[in-house]
Amino acid sequence: MTIVSLPGSSGYLNDNNRKVSYFSNPYVLGLTFIAGIGGLLFGYDTGVISGALLYIKDEFPEVNESSFLQETIVSMALVGAIIGAAAGGWINDYFGRKKATLSADVVFILGSVVMAAAPDPYILILGRLLVGLGVGVASVTAPVYIAEASPSEIRGGLVSTNVLMITGGQFLSYLVNLAFTEIPGTWRWMLGVAGVPAAIQFVLMLFLPESPRWLYMKKDKSEAATVLAKIYDPYRLEEELDQLATALEEERLRTQAISYLDVFRKKEIRLAFFAGAGLQAFQQFTGINTVMYYSPTIVQMAGFKSNQLALLLSLIVALMNAMGTIVGIYLIDHFGRKKLALTSLSGVIVSLILLAVAFILESSTSGNVGAYGWIAVIGLALYIAFFAPGMGPVPWTVNSEIYPESYRGMCGGMSATVNWISNLIVAQSFLSLAEAVGTGVTFLILAGIAVMAFVFVIVFVPETKGLSFEEMERIWKEKAWGNDSGKEPLVEARS
């Protein structure tokens, strides 16, 4: 059976011979974009600091004189995000996806106000910690909330919309950076504006329902059925409710409470977490947020000294990131998660090598902008063009769908924490590493890590395109407890 929304169906998904499409149900699409504002906040915070840092250095001499202080201002948001993501899994499971989102918005707004009013670098660092807490919770919540309200046929594209919002937020941050370059209090406006989308999401989220899966499993079955009726036609609705009833019964049969240690004790959960957390770690260690946090600085390292020109070239990079994510939304449900990740990593490896060569050769010149500087900028653009459609959305999509219901919040929070810890390591070490061994060698190291990521995806990540949550749970049981062929029959059958 395939499903689609027919004209006059009020956005419901109906039984038909056509495939369900991304735009089939306006209700689900609206829910996705409102939840995805959390991704916008994530992306804005990631991108805005790269431009704001140029002007923070101008206002505070102690920041300009210390690479460590610059790295701390950038990475303190990541410390907050690690804490937020770690707590976010528990908040999601106990209070629900909706309340987790609302709490993240409140903390983010508070952090934005503190940053905008900061009288010194240390209060600014406190504000960065607060916005990081909000971003960390949102990074766990938005993909799970969207995935649990999405038909399996288009779940990848809808969850990837959250990544589009991340890249859109990064692009918006560069636009804001350029808009405020000539206005007094430059960086304060750049950082303070971040509170506006958080306030908008808070208001809109009040009118959205809780995740239907969370409602059914934790609270109110009739309320869950009401929400699901806005997503599926009556025939499909009955199937979904039957699957939820089976999942709930299986959870009740478990005699002991779920703990973090169970993730590592149970082989099938351990394998799923290893695949999900590994993807999150490699997303960061292949350098994406090095590029997004420091792209203006990287452009200046290549010989382009003007702040405005560095921001303009970085804006082009951010635009490519957003456009590449749009391509990824289409490809992830047509091409598949695993193939898309491998194709993406192939291009990332080539681009990082090109960047490395450009900086190594550029370092031997007089330092003026020449061919090598432009090659570095081209390498930066190619990196984004390959990364954005694949390794941008794939880790978040895979982590939103590979865990059993009772582990989804916990494992999602743990894997997001791995992402943020990896992000922190990269952000806190990039400038120091570049000073110690050279920018070119630093990019060569990232290229080597990308090769490792390519091998990891081949060996440990199954293809999950179009599978239900219950089918994916069976995949991990097959991998853990018996499959002589070494292949996933469910994946092969559905692919």
Side-chain angles (χ1 to χ4, degrees):
M1 180 189 74
T2 52
I3 51 178
V4 71
S5 177
L6 294 177
S9 65
S10 302
Y12 287 43
L13 297 175
N14 295 297
D15 194 10
N16 198 280
N17 291 324
R18 294 162 55 199
K19 284 187 177 181
V20 61
S21 73
Y22 181 84
F23 296 101
S24 292
N25 190 320
Y27 178 80
V28 174
L29 201 58
L31 179 150
T32 297
F33 275 94
I34 293 172
I37 295 175
L40 183 79
L41 298 175
F42 180 169
Y44 187 90
D45 181 69
T46 300
V48 73
I49 194 62
S50 64
L53 189 61
L54 301 177
Y55 297 93
I56 292 168
K57 289 190 293 184
D58 291 341
E59 181 165 338
F60 300 121
E62 61 266 48
V63 176
N64 189 48
E65 294 166 5
S66 171
S67 291
F68 177 77
L69 200 52
Q70 292 173 43
E71 289 171 334
T72 302
I73 290 171
V74 170
S75 60
M76 189 52 64
L78 306 181
V79 174
I82 290 168
I83 299 169
W90 175 80
I91 294 170
N92 268 270
D93 282 343
Y94 192 79
F95 294 104
R97 305 0 176 175
K98 181 175 178 175
K99 288 182 180 178
T101 302
L102 293 172
S103 65
D105 288 331
V106 171
V107 175
F108 197 96
I109 293 168
L110 178 61
S112 298
V113 172
V114 171
M115 289 191 300
D120 58 57
Y122 306 101
I123 299 298
L124 174 60
I125 288 169
L126 173 62
R128 293 285 293 161
L129 177 67
L130 289 172
V131 297
L133 288 170
V135 166
V137 174
S139 71
V140 176
T141 307
V144 171
Y145 182 76
I146 295 168
E148 291 185 341
S150 302
S152 60
E153 295 87 347
I154 54 170
R155 186 174 55 237
L158 290 171
V159 174
S160 295
T161 300
N162 184 59
V163 183
L164 173 62
M165 299 292 276
I166 294 173
T167 57
Q170 290 168 337
F171 177 67
L172 176 65
S173 72
Y174 285 112
L175 283 177
V176 170
N177 283 346
L178 278 173
F180 287 118
T181 53
E182 302 299 330
I183 294 177
T186 307
W187 63 268
R188 298 181 186 276
W189 285 102
M190 293 174 178
L191 299 178
V193 164
V196 175
I200 292 172
Q201 185 185 41
F202 183 90
V203 173
L204 293 176
M205 200 73 195
L206 292 173
F207 299 96
L208 287 185
E210 181 53 79
S211 154
R213 286 186 72 93
W214 187 88
L215 284 171
Y216 194 94
M217 304 295 285
K218 304 283 187 178
K219 187 181 177 184
D220 190 330
K221 296 180 181 61
S222 61
E223 190 178 343
T226 300
V227 177
L228 287 169
K230 298 178 181 179
I231 301 173
Y232 302 106
D233 80 304
Y235 180 79
R236 181 71 180 271
L237 174 61
E238 187 177 343
E239 280 189 353
E240 293 296 320
L241 289 172
D242 285 345
Q243 287 185 354
L244 286 174
T246 301
L248 180 60
E249 185 61 29
E250 288 177 354
E251 184 170 335
R252 283 175 175 168
L253 290 174
R254 295 185 175 102
T255 56
Q256 58 185 24
I258 300 300
S259 72
Y260 284 97
L261 287 177
D262 289 330
V263 174
F264 303 101
R265 286 191 187 122
K266 297 188 176 183
K267 189 175 181 181
E268 62 269 31
I269 308 299
R270 184 169 69 245
L271 290 173
F273 176 70
F274 182 68
L279 276 174
Q280 294 284 34
F282 280 121
Q283 184 191 65
Q284 295 304 319
F285 285 122
T286 50
I288 181 57
N289 279 324
T290 292
V291 170
M292 298 316 299
Y293 289 134
Y294 295 115
S295 56
T297 304
I298 292 169
V299 168
Q300 289 186 334
M301 287 176 177
F304 301 88
K305 300 304 180 184
S306 163
N307 283 359
Q308 284 81 5
L309 181 58
L311 286 173
L312 180 60
L313 290 173
S314 298
L315 177 66
I316 295 171
V317 170
L319 177 61
M320 292 185 66
N321 196 17
M323 291 175 65
T325 306
I326 294 173
V327 175
I329 288 174
Y330 172 79
L331 292 177
I332 199 163
D333 282 320
H334 292 79
F335 198 48
R337 284 72 156 141
K338 185 168 184 173
K339 291 178 183 177
L340 190 56
L342 292 174
T343 303
S344 175
L345 285 167
S346 299
V348 163
I349 292 165
V350 173
S351 303
L352 287 170
I353 291 172
L354 180 63
L355 269 167
V357 170
F359 274 102
I360 290 170
L361 294 176
E362 191 269 340
S363 64
S364 63
T365 65
S366 61
N368 297 321
V369 179
Y372 300 134
W374 284 107
I375 290 172
V377 171
I378 291 169
L380 206 58
L382 284 175
Y383 173 90
I384 290 296
F386 281 108
F387 186 97
M391 283 301 289
V394 167
W396 295 105
T397 300
V398 168
N399 273 278
S400 73
E401 61 189 10
I402 60 173
Y403 304 118
E405 172 67 35
S406 54
Y407 288 89
R408 193 166 301 133
M410 182 183 295
C411 288
M414 290 170 65
S415 65
T417 302
V418 169
N419 183 290
W420 288 111
I421 291 173
S422 305
N423 195 335
L424 173 63
I425 293 169
V426 171
Q428 189 68 36
S429 62
F430 175 74
L431 292 180
S432 299
L433 185 62
E435 286 178 0
V437 301
T439 308
V441 175
T442 301
F443 281 119
L444 274 181
I445 293 171
L446 294 176
I449 294 171
V451 172
M452 294 169 59
F454 187 92
V455 175
F456 177 87
V457 172
I458 290 175
V459 176
F460 296 108
V461 180
E463 181 54 74
T464 59
K465 181 183 73 170
L467 299 179
S468 70
F469 290 116
E470 289 69 29
E471 286 172 325
M472 281 183 282
E473 187 170 352
R474 284 161 53 198
I475 285 176
W476 295 113
K477 288 179 179 177
E478 289 170 2
K479 289 178 73 72
W481 305 114
N483 184 8
D484 294 336
S485 66
K487 298 179 181 178
E488 293 76 42
L490 282 171
V491 178
E492 290 186 330
R494 293 296 291 268
S495 298

